[in-house]
């Protein structure tokens, strides 16, 4: 009970800080508006190209939004937090917070993208489940990689390099599900890939919970 109480306290702390600063959402809304307005006034994107460009936007959104998870924390603040709560509470709270951020930013991206480039998706259920599981995967991976990068002179570039090999299978599955959703396919067609994504998310979060305590002790 104490573990979950500490975890939700940390999540609320991060949400309050984000609400005060609003850096992530201000930056993303401005950039997205400019980016999608460019497509709106140039050409219409359809079919597979729409899917690929959309997930490229989501990946770069995840990198910029979650990169600051640990990189913005000073060593003194981290040490103070570690004296109050367990390492597992810290990493789980970061993952939960980043999942919430990714879900909001993904919804904003889909709104802008649909307004500027259309919305060719037919199987909405499969596509929205892909958005949900993909957001969880990106948040989990980048949260852990951000913690590793924070121990290496706060290298944001290192975070992107380390995360890319892990995300390759996730991105491949997401694109495959999204391409299937362009046709009138049912949820059963994408059920296996969605289960793969769910299993990958469980594995990533479990590994983060196991490995993070050894990381922060250094």
């Amino acid at each position: 009970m104490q573990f979950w109480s500490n975890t939700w306290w940390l999540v609320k702390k991060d949400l309050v800080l984000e609400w005060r600063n609003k850096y992530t959402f201000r930056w993303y809304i401005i950039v997205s508006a400019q980016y999608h307005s460019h497509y709106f006034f140039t050409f219409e994107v359809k079919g597979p190209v729409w899917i690929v460009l959309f997930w490229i936007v989501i990946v770069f959104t995840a990198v910029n939004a979650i990169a600051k998870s640990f990189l913005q924390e000073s060593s003194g603040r981290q040490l103070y937090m570690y004296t109050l709560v367990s390492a597992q509470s810290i990493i789980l709270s970061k993952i939960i917070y980043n999942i919430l951020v990714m879900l909001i930013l993904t919804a904003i991206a889909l709104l802008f993208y649909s307004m500027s480039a259309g919305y060719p998706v037919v199987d909405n259920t499969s596509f929205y489940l892909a958005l949900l599981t993909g957001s969880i995967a990106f948040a989990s991976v980048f949260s852990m990689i951000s913690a590793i990068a924070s121990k290496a002179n706060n290298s944001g570039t290192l975070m992107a390099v380390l995360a890319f090999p892990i995300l390759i299978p996730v991105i491949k599955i997401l694109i495959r599900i999204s391409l299937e959703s362009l046709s009138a396919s049912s949820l059963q067609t994408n059920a296996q890939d969605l289960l793969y994504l769910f299993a990958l998310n469980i594995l990533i979060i479990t590994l983060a919970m196991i490995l993070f305590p050894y990381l922060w002790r250094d």
Side-chain angles (χ1 to χ4, degrees):
M1 183 63 67
Q2 186 64 32
F3 170 80
W4 288 108
S5 177
N6 292 336
T7 300
W8 287 113
W9 173 72
L10 290 171
V11 173
K12 289 188 288 185
K13 173 188 72 70
D14 287 334
L15 288 173
V16 169
L17 291 176
E18 181 60 42
W19 179 256
R20 290 176 180 175
N21 298 326
K22 296 183 177 66
Y23 169 79
T24 299
F25 294 102
R26 282 203 306 263
W27 172 89
Y28 180 70
I29 290 175
I30 292 173
V31 173
S32 293
Q34 295 175 345
Y35 177 82
H36 296 299
S37 295
H38 167 73
Y39 280 105
F40 183 79
F41 289 109
T42 52
F43 59 91
E44 184 178 0
V45 181
K46 295 182 179 180
V49 177
W50 189 97
I51 294 296
V52 173
L53 288 178
F54 176 78
W55 283 112
I56 290 175
V57 171
I58 297 301
V59 170
F60 280 100
T61 297
V63 172
N64 287 281
I66 305 178
K68 63 185 183 66
S69 296
F70 288 93
L71 301 182
Q72 69 175 358
E73 302 279 354
S74 64
S75 57
R77 180 184 295 179
Q78 290 185 24
L79 180 61
Y80 174 68
M81 295 305 301
Y82 296 146
T83 61
L84 296 178
V85 297
S86 65
Q88 287 87 354
S89 292
I90 292 175
I91 187 61
L92 185 59
S93 68
K94 290 292 185 182
I95 292 174
I96 294 174
Y97 166 74
N98 287 326
I99 289 173
L100 295 176
V101 170
M102 276 303 305
L103 289 174
I104 295 173
L105 294 183
T106 299
I108 295 174
L110 182 60
L111 175 63
F112 278 121
Y113 204 70
S114 299
M115 292 172 59
S116 61
Y119 183 73
V121 175
V122 176
D123 185 3
N124 290 314
T125 303
S126 297
F127 184 67
Y128 290 150
L129 286 175
L131 293 181
L132 174 62
T133 53
S135 297
I136 295 173
F138 292 149
S140 304
V141 170
F142 283 118
S143 296
M144 188 59 190
I145 299 301
S146 177
I148 296 174
S150 68
K151 300 297 183 179
N153 298 324
N154 291 345
S155 175
T157 304
L158 177 63
M159 191 191 79
V161 172
L162 291 176
F164 185 71
I166 303 175
L167 289 177
I168 287 178
V170 175
I171 295 173
K172 287 180 63 177
I173 296 175
L174 288 172
I175 291 178
R176 187 162 62 231
I177 296 173
S178 301
L179 290 175
E180 289 288 341
S181 68
L182 294 176
S183 61
S185 60
S186 63
L187 180 60
Q188 295 178 350
T189 305
N190 297 310
Q192 187 174 9
D193 284 333
L194 289 169
L195 287 175
Y196 284 155
L197 277 177
F198 181 78
L200 279 173
N201 287 336
I202 296 298
L203 177 62
I204 293 169
I205 294 174
T206 302
L207 288 176
M209 296 282 289
I210 295 173
L211 298 177
F212 183 74
Y214 298 98
L215 177 66
W216 75 263
R217 289 196 186 102
D218 296 333

